[in-house]
Amino acid sequence: MGFARTCSVALVGVEGVVVEVQADLEAGVAAFTLVGLPDKSLVESRDRVRAAIVNSQAEWPQKKLTVGLSPASVPKSGSGFDLAVAAAVLGAAERIDPRSIADLVLIGELGLDGRVRPVRGVLPAVLAAAEAGYRQVVVPERTASEAALVPGVSVLGVRSLRQLIAVLADEPVPDEESLEAGRPDPMLAGLLVPGAGVGTGLAADPADGPDLADVAGQHPARRALEVAAAGRHHLLLSGPPGAGKTMLAERLPGILPPLTRQESLEVTAVHSVAGILPPGEPLVHRPPYCAPHHSATMQSLVGGGNGLPRPGAVSLAHRGVLFLDEAPEFSTKSLDALRQPLESGHVVVARAAGVVRLPARFLLALAANPCPCGRHTLHGAGCECPASVIRRYQARLSGPLLDRVDLRVEVEPVTRSDLLGQGGRGETSAAVADRVREARARAAARLAGTPWTVNSEVPGQELRTRYVTVPGALAAAERDVERGLLTARGLDRVLRVAWTVADLAGHDRPRAEDLALALELRTGITRGVPAGAGERR
């Protein structure tokens, strides 16, 4: 009788669970039994592993073979267990020393010829292994750079099962044929899954992406964009067609600061699980940008799918921008499903196969027309939409959803002078991004030692007790609360925006003019500031 054990990782959403892979050989009729809640693709690993071992010049044991995946109560899916199953079988057959694989974590799919194919979710899997105390992992060579992003873990990238056997048996490592330059690589099919992303794309480098200088006029909207980027505040752009709402939103990622190391790992893990991580770019440095079509279902926005839920658009936009163009055209259920992740920064998706918690801390940008034809706010444009139709159209953006949107800006039609460049060229994205970075740095210094990094994350209780404004600066906001123009949540969000405006202006605390601008950006009503109010300390 032979026995061997090794480890692999089962992914539940973007979180990993270390799985012990055990192989037991005993006398009896030759058979291969796989137990431990495997799904269809994992059950098929029996045939892949047998063919891969035979084609790697190793002998398949002609005994009763049982492979167990523990804990048995955790559902296992995908083909990433193939390498661990093969190693456990070879250890039980004493082709390799069972002790050499006992503390190894192996992740990878096997081809019938013994080649090790890359799989999705290597980064979160290695992160889970590192948190569980494992320090050695074996992954496909194509994903070795992704696994190496985890500190304190020794990574071995292999091209084939033959190479792994040679390394573990202390034999000369055979060379595997490499592809000729220019030939397509079928291995990449394991990393990129067509249709897995929902209108998502990693933001281009600011030097190559769209520039704010391309937008003619729209100074109030540009200012709102800068405030949104500096404090990660949610934004609604409303106005007639052709005013530049989509152009502005597309340029929002270009003024966001680069991701920190921790944020990069979070974003890379989500994109790796979703199967949309670009090959050759193991670490995502720029905030992602996700713009699903208005026909997107609720499941595609918040996550879902057969079996365990997969990341949706809110998770693919984690630490970046989720842009909903023509927002009223989205289904009401889809829009209202955004309310919970907007508050908590994560989404919990429950399905029959299990419950998954996915990260979803994104900047929401909405664009909406004032009515179905879009000409309601234009003088003499001939809008023929009945008042009841206009009310129903605008009501598709529910009050609870809009209450969570910090900035609401009316985008006016572009004037002739701005369109022809007579008003001067606007600032570039690089210039605005510099101010955004400085404002983020001020906020980070103030919030050092707290769980928050940007102003939009600070709870209202802290804003009213710990981070207070200049005395008297809240007078206008307090009046709006008394008149019912602001809710309690709305007041908290005005305070957060005021702190961001103060950071952009270089003020140590929000002054009356900062609160006035924050109120104007939320309500659309221009506020006057009493003389001398901004100088009071």
Side-chain angles (χ1 to χ4, degrees), residues 83-131:
L83 198 58
V85 171
V89 171
L90 292 170
E94 298 183 352
R95 174 62 179 87
I96 57 179
D97 187 354
R99 293 172 297 180
S100 65
I101 60 173
D103 296 324
L104 271 183
V105 175
L106 300 103
I107 304 166
E109 177 187 332
L110 286 176
L112 300 184
D113 56 356
R115 288 186 302 170
V116 181
R117 303 178 64 90
V119 293
R120 296 178 287 113
V122 166
L123 176 59
V126 177
L127 282 170
E131 292 175 359

Side-chain angles (χ1 to χ4, degrees), residues 297-303 314 322 324 331-344 346-349 360 362 364 398 401 404:
T297 62
M298 184 175 67
Q299 289 76 17
S300 67
L301 284 179
V302 301
V314 297
L322 175 63
L324 303 185
S331 71
T332 304
K333 287 185 177 180
S334 299
L335 292 173
D336 286 341
L338 301 177
R339 288 153 55 177
Q340 185 249 342
L342 285 176
E343 285 290 324
S344 62
H346 64 267
V347 59
V348 178
V349 184
F362 55 90
L364 177 63
S398 65
L401 175 64
R404 291 166 168 81

Side-chain angles (χ1 to χ4, degrees), residues 181-259:
R183 286 187 60 187
D185 189 353
M187 292 291 189
L188 298 182
L191 295 178
L192 293 177
V193 180
V198 187
T200 188
L202 298 178
D205 189 278
D208 303 325
D211 199 296
L212 264 178
D214 301 333
V215 180
Q218 304 300 358
H219 302 293
R222 292 168 63 100
R223 178 180 58 186
L225 225 63
E226 182 176 345
V227 173
R232 200 186 291 149
H233 301 290
H234 307 306
L235 172 69
L236 168 63
L237 300 172
S238 59
K245 303 185 295 296
T246 303
M247 283 188 67
L248 288 162
E250 289 174 345
R251 283 149 181 79
L252 183 54
I255 61 176
L256 291 175
L259 300 174

Side-chain angles (χ1 to χ4, degrees), residues 387-401:
S388 58
V389 172
I390 296 175
R391 284 195 300 271
R392 282 198 301 270
Y393 185 80
Q394 295 177 351
R396 292 181 181 178
L397 299 179
S398 65
L401 175 64

Side-chain angles (χ1 to χ4, degrees), residues 347-373:
V347 59
V348 178
V349 184
R351 295 291 185 270
V355 180
V356 172
R357 185 180 186 271
L358 300 168
R361 192 170 295 281
F362 55 90
L363 192 165
L364 177 63
L366 304 170
N369 293 329
C371 67
C373 75

Side-chain angles (χ1 to χ4, degrees), residues 105-167:
V105 175
L106 300 103
I107 304 166
E109 177 187 332
L110 286 176
L112 300 184
D113 56 356
R115 288 186 302 170
V116 181
R117 303 178 64 90
V119 293
R120 296 178 287 113
V122 166
L123 176 59
V126 177
L127 282 170
E131 292 175 359
Y134 293 88
R135 292 293 174 261
Q136 292 182 311
V137 299
V138 180
V139 298
E141 187 181 53
R142 281 286 185 181
T143 57
S145 56
E146 182 181 343
L149 297 173
V150 181
V153 176
S154 175
V155 178
L156 172 63
V158 294
R159 290 186 184 179
S160 67
L161 183 60
R162 287 198 311 151
Q163 287 187 340
L164 178 62
I165 295 173
V167 170

Side-chain angles (χ1 to χ4, degrees), residues 266-281:
E266 294 175 8
V267 173
T268 303
V270 175
H271 283 71
S272 177
V273 169
I276 55 176
L277 191 65
E281 298 180 16

